[in-house]
Amino acid sequence: MEPDGRTVAELVAARWGDHRPGLWCEDDVLTHHQFAVGAAARAALLADLLPPGVPPHIGVLLDNTPEFPLWLAGAALAGAAAAGINPTRRGPELARDILHTECRILVTEPAQLPLLRGLDLPGVRLLTTGTQEYDDLLAPYAHARPDPSRATPSDRLLLYFTSGSTGTPKAAICTQGRLTAAGRSLAGQFGVTPDDVHYVCMPMFHGNAVIADWAPALAAGAGVALRRRFSASGFLADVRRYRATYFTYVGRAIQYVLATEPGPHDRDHRLRLGFGTEAGVVDAAAFERRFGVRLVEGYGSSEGGAAVQWSPGTPAGAVGRAGPGLVVLDQRTRAECPPAHFDAAGRLLNGDEAIGELVNRAPNPFEGYWRNPEAEAERRRRGSPAHGGPSRSSEAESGGGWYWTGDLFCRDAEGYLYFAGRTDDRLRVDGENLAAAMIENILARYEGADAVAVYAVPDPVTGDQVMAAIAGDFEPGSFAEFLLAQPDLGTKMAPRFVRVVERMPVTATNKIHRARLRSEGLRCADPVWCRPTAELAYRRLAPGDAEGPLAPTRGPV
């Protein structure tokens, strides 16, 4: 039976008395009841440890172990907030994340202690799981019962950092009410029942694992199986072991699973659905062919300001139909972009005018960033009268403070949205605006490519040139033939430069680290191939060539 309640605390308390197995991690198994007991003990401990008069924030520096969701649930019962701390951060950056979110308690484990050596963390109390001191600290609260009465829907529960691939991570706020609503929505959308098991292999310090995987399981009373850290080689074995039915993914995770050795029993499992972002059309189709599992590619900003849901009938390459309030706006004029037009081969014909930033003009659940008014203002940009936007007097009526996603899209005449990349992924080549994501979707078909990233490098005259990083096998002749055979490759889209990498650089959440690729440009240790003329003939770039710009390529390929 689906638990009632408007807060995460109420969902946790509803599991009291449910003695079905509900949480798995390696050899550890907790029933739903034991989970509720553990959460209540941690909530009672927090009530005694958190000092009065300060934000009730705790930091969680853990792998995906049972302690992570136990502390999330405990924080919910205590009316506190948990900040997921990224263990791939180091030194002053790691200290900055802990201190910025004003964590009074930091929950960690012995394996993470070396990361904290030498850090100045004034006022932060350390709790180290898996130690006798920790067990002794919790022991007096072993008989606590979950009391959800202290929590309200407006209580902060999560402070989760953006991936940090484009700058200093921002701590997005998520309240108990928003997380509960998101969990219920996804559970309803995907028909999650108490008999399901959600496999959580993405890191729980990131919003994807908590909002899209743990929350719907909690809302439906389903089980949760944890993987300490994502492992492509261990994916299928885990799915079978825990009898998992649902999982989430981000970034390159699907590509890594597909790169494992195929076997005759790849479809021997209970998995029915994967939900995530950035798998791409080619890999999603390959995953379904091999494992018999449908991947649902959704779009949702981490901060909750905009979301697009896939539905039956969505055209290939589209994310879904635009809901009420979602529009694609020209970033300069703030006017709505005209519909996108595609030819019979799927080539976007009017990208220069059709691609813009996705904006949500409707009321939305974006709850801001912790102590970062500048970042909030960027998300809540208002129309500009100087560029055709609404006047100040009409801002309230016309949607002043709309949510600007920072993502590029185009929208066809039927209202379907096509992802075109981040706003800093736009390329302007020979006077034409191009979208990195659309070029990537084409290059992903290249047989030798395990992963592809497209980004801009400066043109020596004006604008940009297209550069691609390819992980996998690259042969210049076959790649040139491949490009010529792609009917939807526009005349400006063929990469001028190709960087061949052994492994694509990624962030802690498996998203391609585009900022690093852009900053390194041609000056990198990897082999770089270029085409000096408009002809599709690639040659190896000599080290000295990177010191001075090559002549720009003009005209069609």
Side-chain angles (χ1 to χ4, degrees), residues 217-347:
L218 187 65
V224 170
L226 301 175
R227 174 82 190 194
R228 278 182 170 268
R229 295 188 180 184
F230 172 73
S231 167
S233 61
F235 177 85
L236 192 55
D238 278 353
V239 163
R240 289 174 179 151
R241 176 184 184 182
Y242 302 122
R243 298 175 66 81
T245 56
Y246 171 101
F247 77 105
T248 61
Y249 60 88
V250 292
R252 304 297 96 189
I254 294 300
Q255 290 183 344
Y256 296 151
V257 174
L258 287 172
T260 60
E261 190 69 27
H265 304 294
D266 281 348
R267 293 191 172 211
D268 182 16
H269 54 73
R270 295 182 62 217
L271 201 61
R272 62 181 177 86
L273 182 70
F275 175 57
T277 62
E278 299 183 50
V281 176
V282 173
D283 288 330
F287 195 88
E288 185 166 8
R289 283 194 306 271
R290 177 173 166 183
F291 298 105
V293 178
R294 180 168 67 95
L295 299 184
V296 176
E297 283 276 296
Y299 169 82
S301 63
S302 300
E303 298 85 346
V308 182
Q309 291 187 357
W310 181 93
S311 60
T314 298
V319 176
R321 195 188 291 271
L326 287 179
V327 293
V328 178
L329 300 186
D330 184 289
Q331 293 170 292
R332 184 182 62 83
T333 67
R334 311 293 177 95
E336 191 164 351
C337 296
H341 298 296
F342 299 88
D343 64 15
R347 184 189 292 114

Side-chain angles (χ1 to χ4, degrees), residues 1 34 64 92 132 191 208 228 348 414 510-511 520 557:
M1 180 176 173
Q34 288 172 323
N64 288 3
Q132 189 60 51
N208 168 274
R228 278 182 170 268
L348 179 62
E414 302 300 318
N510 285 318
K511 294 183 178 180
E520 291 175 350
V557 298

Side-chain angles (χ1 to χ4, degrees), residues 46-106:
L46 285 178
D48 286 344
L49 293 186
L50 284 171
V54 298
H57 295 177
I58 67 169
V60 184
L61 178 59
L62 296 168
D63 285 340
N64 288 3
T65 66
E67 290 286 355
F68 208 125
L70 280 168
W71 277 103
L72 292 183
L77 290 168
I85 305 300
N86 183 347
T88 67
R89 303 269 282 171
R90 294 292 186 272
E93 291 184 343
L94 181 62
R96 176 262 173 198
D97 292 350
I98 297 166
L99 297 176
H100 172 70
T101 45
E102 300 183 55
C103 296
R104 301 297 169 170
I105 294 172
L106 180 64

